Amino acid sequence: MAVVERVAVTVFTTVTRSVVDGHGHRHPGPPREVREALLSITDGDGATGHCLTGPDTVRETVVGGYLGPALLGQDATDRERLWHRVARRQRGAQGNLSDRALSAADQALWDLMGRKLGLPVWKLLGGARDRIPAYASTMCGDDIPGGLATPDDYAAFAKELVSRGYRGIKLHTWMPPQRYGVARDIEACTAVREAVGPDVALMLDSNHWYSRSEALALGRALDELRFAWYEEPMEEASVQSYRWLADQLETPILGPETSWGKHMARAEWVAAGACDILRVGVVGSGGIVPALKAVHLAESFGMDCEIHGNGSGALAVIGATLCGRWYERGLLHPHSDYDSPPPHLRSIVDPLVDGEVRLPAAPGLGDDLDHEYIAAHAVASWESAPQ
Ligand code: LLH
Ligand code: MG
């Protein structure tokens, strides 16, 4: 048995070509330096697993106060047990141990196990399929000339995305601090449908704070436009509002994406009839362990479960199961280059081939980390190890 011997974080500088607005939405921007963190977990055999995350998510007190004490000395291969050991510490952590930190630890442990066994994590978890159609997920609307500032901009970009091979497109429309509204959303969705024709799957992820009546008016337009799903038009804490909406629309409602409560919140949504397609994210819902539980829950009810977000963790769950039809590739924008890796990666994990993404063949999660770059750009580090 090889036990966890070290839980370590390296914070490094890298370069991004995006800016984040006052409400947390990313848009294209000039190159600028940002900080990222690599969480690394090492066992007694010297095997190490990694997960990229935000420095604040795995700050020193999180590693020293929660992750280290829960994991050190434990059999590194006990994935389910270790997930519960970390998750149980959230109750008394006064909000300091987030689902994102739990997810980073869980993903690093899966990465460790995959690397150790020489298997991609999606194979280790079940190995259900080796490719998945990708939908192009746009950035949110903006006011950038030639960007996503008008319904015509969305239509022109949608045509471009189809020419790149995508058979599905999801619009993130305008949200605060941009000028937003149901009428603008309907114009953009109509322009895109007219631009790409009836055979491309279209989805909408709109402003998340519409009222019931606004969400219903927008949903009725999506019914006319034959959209494949309608995502997060209202505050997700109100499960009854989603049930009310789902009861009145033909377009499938997809959710919840941001709800607190891991797989258990997803069970409540299914039981309430609040969604037609379930949603779970590996990063936001506490890791691969709870995401798999949500996918199996959906499958047991004959529902699809669509995984939120891009990246290696999402691909691990997608490749492990047959439930869910798409990989969310993005966020995309006419002025941004998704296909070139940032400097700390040697290649991207999700290149597009004929409208699909192939599951990674490398052992572990499949992130092609440039460890030399990360070491050369390290600005801080901390760890938890036995004294
Ligand atoms: O608000 C945003 O910037 C996007 O909606 C983003 O959170 C995206 O991850 C999403 O919701 N995808 O489905
Ligand atoms: Mg979304």
Side-chain angles (χ1 to χ4, degrees):
M1 174 176 98
V3 300
V4 174
E5 288 200 339
R6 189 166 176 256
V7 181
V9 169
T10 306
V11 178
F12 59 96
T13 59
T14 185
V15 177
T16 181
R17 290 172 184 272
S18 64
V19 288
V20 183
D21 68 29
H23 288 249
H25 308 300
R26 267 189 299 139
H27 306 281
R32 68 187 170 100
E33 190 177 278
V34 287
R35 290 183 175 204
E36 285 228 23
L38 186 69
L39 175 70
S40 304
I41 299 181
T42 304
D43 75 7
D45 291 338
T48 301
H50 305 280
C51 182
L52 287 166
T53 183
D56 198 45
T57 300
V58 286
R59 58 193 178 276
E60 197 163 359
T61 49
V62 171
V63 171
Y66 308 106
L67 300 184
L71 299 176
L72 291 171
Q74 301 296 315
D75 184 341
T77 61
D78 284 354
R79 295 301 319 104
E80 181 80 15
R81 191 174 65 80
L82 295 196
W83 183 82
H84 282 280
R85 268 181 76 83
V86 180
R88 292 277 160 94
R89 281 168 162 76
Q90 288 184 295
R91 173 70 174 77
Q94 300 181 353
N96 290 311
L97 178 56
S98 65
D99 281 345
R100 282 175 178 259
L102 173 61
S103 174
D106 181 59
Q107 290 186 71
L109 283 163
W110 282 112
D111 189 48
L112 184 159
M113 200 148 120
R115 286 168 188 265
K116 200 165 175 169
L117 298 177
L119 279 176
V121 172
W122 62 273
K123 285 258 188 202
L124 199 60
L125 293 172
R129 51 184 157 182
D130 65 3
R131 62 194 63 199
I132 177 93
Y135 66 85
S137 188
T138 76
M139 287 184 180
C140 299
D142 51 48
D143 54 6
I144 302 170
L148 295 173
T150 66
D152 285 347
D153 285 343
Y154 276 93
F157 190 41
K159 276 188 156 169
E160 161 70 21
L161 293 168
V162 171
S163 76
R164 288 186 209 167
Y166 289 103
R167 300 190 289 271
I169 299 170
K170 187 171 85 183
L171 289 70
H172 285 100
T173 43
W174 298 275
M175 304 183 194
Q178 296 295 323
R179 182 170 66 82
Y180 68 97
V182 168
R184 273 195 115 190
D185 285 351
I186 294 175
E187 276 182 54
C189 292
T190 305
V192 169
R193 175 55 85 207
E194 281 169 5
V196 301
D199 297 332
V200 175
L202 296 179
M203 305 80 155
L204 175 66
D205 195 340
S206 63
N207 169 53
H208 313 312
W209 288 277
Y210 283 135
S211 66
R212 285 191 185 195
S213 47
E214 289 169 321
L216 182 60
L218 180 48
R220 290 207 164 120
L222 300 186
D223 283 352
E224 295 290 319
L225 295 167
R226 314 299 302 167
F227 266 52
W229 79 58
Y230 186 20
E231 178 174 336
E232 210 183 338
M234 302 177 290
E235 165 60 68
E236 287 185 337
S238 179
V239 182
Q240 289 308 315
S241 293
Y242 276 88
R243 177 190 184 157
W244 175 90
L245 187 65
D247 280 349
Q248 301 182 72
L249 294 178
E250 279 173 38
T251 307
I253 300 292
L254 173 139
E257 178 171 303
T258 54
S259 270
W260 178 86
K262 308 182 178 72
H263 51 289
M264 290 180 179
R266 272 90 203 155
E268 295 297 337
W269 272 60
V270 174
C275 58
D276 305 283
I277 303 171
L278 196 61
R279 184 78 154 160
V280 73
V282 167
V283 174
S285 307
I288 289 172
V289 165
L292 272 177
K293 292 180 197 298
V295 175
H296 292 149
L297 165 80
E299 195 173 14
S300 308
F301 280 94
M303 298 171 73
D304 283 337
C305 182
E306 295 295 340
I307 306 300
H308 170 232
N310 62 348
S312 58
L315 286 171
V317 174
I318 286 169
T321 64
L322 290 176
C323 177
R325 299 175 190 211
W326 297 96
Y327 170 69
E328 178 166 18
R329 194 165 189 272
L331 302 174
L332 308 182
H333 187 280
H335 298 339
S336 93
D337 172 13
Y338 183 86
D339 293 283
S340 301
H344 58 279
L345 295 175
R346 283 183 298 230
S347 63
I348 58 170
V349 74
D350 56 357
L352 189 73
V353 183
D354 298 332
E356 296 182 327
V357 167
R358 312 275 159 94
L359 276 298
L365 288 171
D367 286 319
D368 193 5
L369 297 164
D370 186 337
H371 288 288
E372 278 177 26
Y373 176 94
I374 291 170
H377 293 81
V379 289
S381 62
W382 48 85
E383 68 174 75
S384 186
Q387 300 307 304

